[in-house]
């Protein structure tokens, strides 16, 4: 006998997943700055990333943090929120691809 499908109503909104999918990379980007480059100002940090061309690598690393909310939403059957995280992740991937090959 199989278990019935259950979709929870709370926290199951596309916009919530989209916002969390935007927030997690921003927070991880800031944490990377705080732990790796404490002695620099944020403006200098951005300038160095652009000057050395490492901004694509750092953004890609930050987007990897979207795995946390995505897996949470999928494991708890909150698929609409998972779609929101996936949508913003795809937008990040497209923008990184454009930055990598167009700039």
């Amino acid at each position: 006998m199989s278990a019935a499908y259950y979709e929870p109503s709370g926290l199951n909104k596309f916009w919530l997943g989209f916002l969390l999918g935007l927030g997690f990379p921003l927070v991880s980007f800031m944490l990377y700055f705080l732990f790796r480059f404490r002695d620099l100002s944020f403006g200098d940090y951005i300038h160095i990333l652009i000057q050395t061309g490492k901004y694509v690598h750092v953004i890609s690393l930050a987007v990897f943090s979207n795995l946390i909310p995505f897996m949470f939403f999928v494991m708890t059957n909150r698929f609409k929120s998972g779609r929101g995280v996936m949508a913003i992740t795809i937008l990040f991937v497209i923008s990184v691809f454009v930055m990598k090959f167009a700039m």
Side-chain angles (χ1 to χ4, degrees):
M1 184 185 226
S2 65
Y5 173 73
Y6 168 71
E7 184 176 335
S9 59
L11 301 177
N12 194 20
K13 308 280 189 233
F14 179 84
W15 62 268
L16 176 67
F18 195 85
L19 289 177
L20 283 176
L22 184 62
F24 265 75
L26 291 175
V27 168
S28 63
F29 182 79
M30 291 303 295
L31 287 174
Y32 180 74
F33 162 67
L34 290 174
F35 287 114
R36 181 86 165 101
F37 299 99
R38 285 178 232 196
D39 51 338
L40 294 177
S41 70
F42 188 71
D44 290 339
Y45 169 63
I46 298 296
H47 183 70
I48 289 171
L49 285 179
I50 293 171
Q51 211 173 31
T52 61
K54 298 290 183 185
Y55 60 94
V56 173
H57 303 291
V58 175
I59 293 171
S60 300
L61 183 64
V63 172
F64 189 69
S65 68
N66 271 348
L67 190 60
I68 296 167
F70 178 74
M71 291 306 295
F72 170 76
F73 289 135
V74 169
M75 298 292 276
T76 58
N77 293 331
R78 291 173 171 90
F79 297 115
K80 291 177 186 173
S81 296
R83 286 185 198 130
V85 174
M86 185 58 68
I88 193 68
T89 303
I90 289 171
L91 290 175
F92 270 122
V93 167
I94 290 170
S95 64
V96 165
F97 184 77
V98 167
M99 285 188 277
K100 176 77 175 171
F101 294 108
M103 295 183 173

